[in-house]
Amino acid sequence: MSVVSVAKNGVRGSGVLALCLGVAFIFAPGLVPIHAHMTLGGILIIALWVLAFLGRAGAPRAALLAVLVGLLLPVLGVLQLQVDLGSSLWLVQTAHVVVALGAMGLAEVLAKRGGRA
C-alpha cells in the first residue's frame, strides 16, 4: 500500500467520523467527546498535508490551497468553542463543515495527482 493510498484513506475515514461526531456534538453536546472530533480533524489535516507534499509537483496550486485549508479548519473549529457568537454561531458552523468537505475533496484531487508523481 502506497503512502498516497494510506493518506487518502486516512482523510476519508477521519473525515467521515469527524463529520459524524461534529453533527452529534451539535445535537447532543454533553454526550459526545469533542476531543475525539478534534483528534480526527487533526488526523485529516495531517493526511491532507501529506497529500499536498506528495502532489505539489503535479498540482502546486491545489497543494498550496491544501496547506491554507489545513490552517483554516481548526481556526473555525476553535472559534465555535472560544468566542461567544450568539445568533451567528450557525454561520461559523456551516463554514467549518463546508471547509472540511472541501478539504476532503481537495485530498482526492491531490491523491490523484500525487499518485502519478
Side-chain angles (χ1 to χ4, degrees):
M1 194 178 264
S2 69
V3 175
V4 171
S5 180
V6 170
K8 179 176 64 172
N9 288 324
V11 167
R12 287 175 177 173
S14 63
V16 168
L17 290 173
L19 185 63
C20 292
L21 284 177
V23 169
F25 182 77
I26 289 172
F27 292 110
L31 299 177
V32 178
I34 193 65
H35 293 296
H37 170 78
M38 295 166 84
T39 301
L40 289 167
I43 292 169
L44 184 148
I45 291 169
I46 290 168
L48 177 65
W49 285 347
V50 167
L51 290 169
F53 179 77
L54 296 173
R56 71 190 185 285
R61 290 184 187 148
L64 177 62
L65 184 59
V67 171
L68 296 175
V69 165
L71 293 171
L72 177 63
L73 198 52
V75 169
L76 289 171
V78 171
L79 186 66
Q80 297 173 60
L81 298 174
Q82 301 296 325
V83 179
D84 183 21
L85 299 169
S87 63
S88 301
L89 177 62
W90 71 272
L91 289 171
V92 178
Q93 289 173 332
T94 303
H96 186 60
V97 171
V98 168
V99 171
L101 292 174
M104 293 171 68
L106 192 55
E108 294 293 327
V109 169
L110 289 165
K112 194 170 201 178
R113 302 278 172 91
R116 291 186 203 153

